[in-house]
C-alpha cells in the first residue's frame, strides 16, 4: 500500500485536478440570476430578527470594532468577573455577547435556538468549546471527559433532527495532547509514515511508532481510540469536521484525519479536514489530499477557510528564524482561497459521491464565486456536495440570503455555560478581529432594518 508523504509535496509532481475524476465536467447552465439573488445588499435579511436581537447585534458589533477592546477582552472580562463575582458576571454576559454567539447552555436552550435557526433555512454545526494549547497540563481523565462531551455532541446533532445531513466540529487536541502532536509533526518531517499503520491503531491494534517513547505511544494509542469512538458513533449519522490549528501541529492532525478518512469514508464522506488558505502551502496540501484520497479510494471532505492564526504564526516564525508561513498580503490569501475553491468545485462536480466541500467564509466575493461556479458546472444549490458556512451571530445577511436562494448553509454553533464558553469566545474574537472590525456593512444593514421598524408598525409598505 502507498505510504503517506510528509504532507508538503512539490506541486510539480501532483496530478491535475481534472484527472482526479473519470467523468467530464458538467457544463449545463441555468438562467443568469446570481448577480441579483446574491447581492447581499438588502436589510430584509434581518426582518426575521426581533427588536431586541437587532439592538443586541448592533451593540456587540460596535464594541467589537475597537481593536484595543478585542485584544484585551480576556483580561477585561477576568477583572470584571473578579469585581462583581462569577454569578453576576454570568448574568451580565448572558443577554449580550453570550446570547449573540452561543446557542445556549443545556439541551433545552440549544434546541430552542436550533429550531429557530432551522425555521430560517439554516443548519447547525455544533461545536464543543474546548480550548487546549501547548503548556496545558491535561491527563487521560480530562481527555476522556472531553470524549464524553463530544459523544454527547454527536448524539444531539443526530437525535434532534434539526436539519438533514447534520455536522459537528471536532478539535483534535482536546483528545490528544498538543505536545505529542508537535513531536509527531517533527517525525513526519523526517520520515514517511504509513496510513495503514494508523488505521490498524484506530482498530485497536497495539502498534509501535518509531521515534516515540513508551508513554507517548500509550497516550497516542489512547487518543486514537477516542477518535475512533467518535467516528464510530457518527458514521451514517453526523459529518465530523476536524478543525485545523497551528502549523506546529497541523501535519500530525492531518495525518491522523486522513487515516480516519481511509477507515470511515469508504461508503460516504463522514470525516472532513480543514484547509487554511492564508498559509502558503495550503494549495499543495489540498492537492496532495486529493491525490491520496484518489489513490487510496476513500472520500475527501474539505472545510475551506482563510484562517485565523496569522499574527501568532508570523511571530512564532520570526522567533524561530523560519520563513513566514503566511501569505504576504490579503490579496494573496484571497487568490489562494479562490484557487483552492476552484480546484475543489471541479473535483466535486466530477465525483460528488467522493468529494465534498463546505465553503466556510464571510467573504461575499468568494461566496458569489462559489455560487457562480456551481451554476457553470450544473451543480444543484442543495445537492449536498457543496455547502456554505459562517459563524453563529455573524454575517447573517450572507447566511440568510444564501438560505433564501436554496443553498445549504451551516452556522458554527458553540454551546455550554458562560464559564465553559468564555475562553472560546475570547479566542474567537481575537482570531477573527479583522472580520469583526470589518463588519460595517452588516452594522449598516442592521441600522437600516431598525429604522424601518416604525414604518412597519404604521402599516406603511416599504
Amino acid at each position: 500500500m502507498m505510504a503517506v508523504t510528509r504532507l508538503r509535496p512539490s506541486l510539480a509532481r501532483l496530478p491535475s485536478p481534472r484527472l482526479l475524476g473519470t467523468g467530464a465536467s458538467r457544463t449545463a447552465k441555468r438562467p443568469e440570476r446570481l448577480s441579483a439573488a446574491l447581492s447581499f445588499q438588502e436589510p430584509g435579511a434581518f426582518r426575521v430578527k426581533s427588536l431586541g436581537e437587532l439592538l443586541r447585534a448592533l451593540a456587540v458589533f460596535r464594541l467589537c470594532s475597537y481593536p484595543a477592546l478585542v485584544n484585551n477582552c480576556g483580561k477585561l472580562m477576568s477583572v470584571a468577573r473578579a469585581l462583581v463575582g462569577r454569578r453576576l458576571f454570568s448574568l451580565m454576559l448572558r443577554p449580550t455577547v453570550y446570547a449573540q454567539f452561543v446557542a445556549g447552555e443545556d439541551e433545552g436552550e440549544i434546541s430552542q435556538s436550533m429550531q429557530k435557526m432551522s425555521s430560517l433555512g439554516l443548519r447547525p454545526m455544533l461545536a464543543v468549546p474546548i480550548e487546549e494549547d501547548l503548556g496545558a497540563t491535561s491527563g487521560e481523565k480530562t481527555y476522556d471527559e472531553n470524549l464524553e462531551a463530544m459523544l454527547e455532541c454527536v448524539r444531539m446533532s443526530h437525535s434532534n433532527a434539526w436539519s438533514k445531513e447534520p455536522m459537528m466540529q471536532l478539535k483534535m487536541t482536546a483528545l490528544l495532547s498538543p505536545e505529542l502532536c508537535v513531536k509527531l509533526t517533527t517525525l513526519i518531517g523526517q520520515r514517511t509514515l504509513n496510513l495503514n499503520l494508523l488505521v490498524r491503531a484506530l482498530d485497536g491494534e497495539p502498534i509501535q511508532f518509531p521515534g516515540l517513547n513508551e508513554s507517548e505511544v500509550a497516550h497516542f494509542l489512547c487518543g486514537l481510540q477516542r477518535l475512533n469512538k467518535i467516528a464510530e458513533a457518527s458514521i451514517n449519522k453526523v459529518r465530523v469536521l476536524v478543525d485545523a490549528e497551528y502549523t506546529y501541529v497541523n501535519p500530525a492532525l492531518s495525518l491522523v484525519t486522513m487515516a480516519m478518512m481511509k477507515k470511515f469514508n469508504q461508503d460516504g464522506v463522514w470525516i472532513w479536514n480543514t484547509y487554511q488558505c492564508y498559509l502558503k502551502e495550503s494549495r499543495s496540501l489540498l492537492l496532495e489530499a486529493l491525490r491520496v484520497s484518489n489513490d487510496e479510494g476513500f472520500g475527501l471532505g474539505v472545510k475551506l477557510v482563510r484562517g485565523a492564526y496569522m499574527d501568532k504564526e508570523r511571530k512564532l516564525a520570526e522567533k524561530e528564524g523560519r520563513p513566514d508561513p503566511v501569505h504576504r498580503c490579503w490579496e494573496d490569501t484571497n487568490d489562494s482561497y479562490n484557487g483552492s475553491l476552484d480546484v475543489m468545485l471541479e473535483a466535486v462536480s466530477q465525483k460528488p459521491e467522493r468529494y465534498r466541500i463546505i465553503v466556510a467564509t464571510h467573504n461575499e466575493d468568494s461566496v458569489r464565486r462559489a455560487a457562480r461556479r456551481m451554476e457553470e458546472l450544473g451543480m444543484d444549490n442543495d445537492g449536498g456536495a457543496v455547502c456554505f458556512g459562517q459563524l453563529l451571530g455573524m454575517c447573517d445577511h450572507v447566511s440568510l440570503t444564501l438560505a433564501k436562494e436554496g443553498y445549504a448553509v451551516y452556522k458554527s454553533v458553540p454551546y455550554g455555560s458562560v464559564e465553559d464558553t468564555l475562553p472560546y469566545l475570547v479566542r474567537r474574537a481575537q482570531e477573527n478581529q479583522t472580520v469583526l472590525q470589518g463588519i460595517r456593512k452588516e452594522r449598516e444593514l442592521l441600522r437600516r432594518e431598525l429604522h424601518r421598524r416604525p414604518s412597519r408598525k404604521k402599516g406603511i409598505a416599504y
Side-chain angles (χ1 to χ4, degrees), residues 101-104 110 113-114 117 123-129 153 169 390-392 410-415 424:
F101 300 117
V102 181
I110 298 167
S113 297
M114 296 306 95
M117 186 182 297
R123 306 179 184 186
M125 178 167 55
L126 295 186
V128 181
C153 185
Q169 293 173 239
Q390 288 88 39
L391 295 172
L392 179 68
Y410 289 83
K411 294 292 251 184
S412 176
V413 179
Y415 62 90
Y424 176 93

Side-chain angles (χ1 to χ4, degrees), residues 390-404:
Q390 288 88 39
L391 295 172
L392 179 68
M394 291 180 63
C395 212
D396 284 348
H397 65 296
V398 172
S399 305
L400 293 170
T401 300
L402 284 170
K404 181 181 177 182

Side-chain angles (χ1 to χ4, degrees), residues 11 275-288 304-306 325 327 333 336-337 340:
L11 284 171
Y275 293 85
Q276 302 159 302
C277 294
Y278 74 155
L279 297 176
K280 296 174 182 176
E281 65 176 0
S282 59
R283 183 84 62 85
S284 63
L285 295 179
L286 178 60
L287 289 169
E288 173 70 355
L304 199 65
V305 302
R306 276 176 169 75
H327 284 297
T333 297
S336 172
Y337 190 93
S340 294

Side-chain angles (χ1 to χ4, degrees), residues 43 46 51 54-55 58 443-458 460 462:
F46 297 111
L51 178 61
L54 290 175
L55 293 171
L58 279 169
R443 284 162 50 195
E444 176 58 27
L445 292 174
L446 285 164
R447 279 194 291 264
R448 285 168 58 187
E449 174 60 20
L450 187 62
H451 293 157
R452 292 161 76 130
R453 289 299 169 98
S455 295
R456 180 183 299 178
K457 291 177 182 177
K458 295 174 184 178
I460 300 175
Y462 54 85

Side-chain angles (χ1 to χ4, degrees), residues 128-388:
V128 181
I130 298 174
E131 295 300 311
E132 183 85 5
D133 206 349
L134 288 172
T137 54
S138 297
E140 298 298 337
K141 181 180 178 182
T142 299
Y143 292 124
D144 286 341
E145 291 172 351
N146 291 344
L147 167 64
E148 292 305 314
M150 291 186 180
L151 288 174
E152 177 65 7
C153 185
V154 174
R155 184 196 67 76
M156 281 198 298
S157 297
H158 176 252
S159 63
N160 285 283
W162 292 313
S163 71
K164 64 178 181 179
E165 298 192 335
M167 290 181 173
M168 63 170 280
Q169 293 173 239
L170 186 149
K171 191 176 175 83
M172 197 172 282
T173 53
L175 306 168
L176 199 60
S177 81
E179 287 77 14
L180 178 63
C181 293
V182 170
K183 188 165 185 178
L184 285 170
T185 294
T186 301
L187 293 176
I188 291 169
Q190 297 171 349
R191 67 189 69 178
T192 297
L193 293 181
N194 195 290
L195 271 187
N196 293 317
L197 190 69
L198 289 173
V199 172
R200 286 160 54 195
L202 286 167
D203 287 333
E205 190 174 330
I207 301 296
Q208 291 299 314
F209 294 93
L212 300 181
N213 61 39
E214 187 176 341
S215 63
E216 289 169 337
V217 169
H219 172 63
F220 192 23
L221 292 174
C222 286
L224 290 173
Q225 283 300 290
R226 283 186 279 264
L227 290 165
N228 192 72
K229 288 180 181 178
I230 292 171
E232 287 183 335
S234 63
I235 193 80
N236 296 320
K237 297 177 182 176
V238 179
R239 302 185 192 280
V240 178
L241 280 59
V242 178
D243 287 338
E245 301 185 38
Y246 294 102
T247 51
Y248 52 73
V249 296
N250 275 342
L253 305 186
S254 291
L255 182 64
V256 173
T257 304
M258 294 292 278
M260 294 172 68
M261 288 182 182
K262 180 170 182 180
K263 179 176 179 181
F264 294 101
N265 286 6
Q266 293 297 322
D267 299 316
V269 186
W270 301 102
I271 308 298
W272 299 39
N273 199 15
T274 301
Y275 293 85
Q276 302 159 302
C277 294
Y278 74 155
L279 297 176
K280 296 174 182 176
E281 65 176 0
S282 59
R283 183 84 62 85
S284 63
L285 295 179
L286 178 60
L287 289 169
E288 173 70 355
L290 282 164
R291 184 188 68 78
V292 173
S293 68
N294 185 63
D295 290 348
E296 293 285 322
F298 59 81
L300 177 70
V302 168
K303 178 183 177 185
L304 199 65
V305 302
R306 276 176 169 75
Y309 305 132
M310 180 175 65
D311 290 339
K312 185 168 182 177
E313 292 285 11
R314 281 184 166 150
K315 289 177 182 177
L316 186 62
E318 183 179 3
K319 179 180 178 181
E320 296 179 352
R322 295 185 287 105
D324 185 352
V326 179
H327 284 297
R328 65 180 180 86
C329 62
W330 178 248
E331 289 74 19
D332 287 351
T333 297
N334 282 342
D335 290 343
S336 172
Y337 190 93
N338 293 332
S340 294
L341 176 61
D342 290 344
V343 167
M344 274 307 300
L345 290 177
E346 181 73 25
V348 171
S349 72
Q350 295 179 38
K351 289 189 175 182
E353 76 287 350
R354 181 64 65 178
Y355 302 114
R356 294 201 168 204
I357 181 174
I358 179 168
V359 186
T361 179
H362 294 175
N363 185 281
E364 294 176 13
D365 289 337
S366 291
V367 171
R368 289 192 194 94
R369 184 189 187 98
R372 182 171 59 250
R373 191 66 184 131
M374 288 172 67
E375 186 179 34
E376 292 170 352
L377 294 167
M379 304 167 73
D380 292 335
N381 290 6
D382 193 12
V386 180
C387 55
F388 295 83

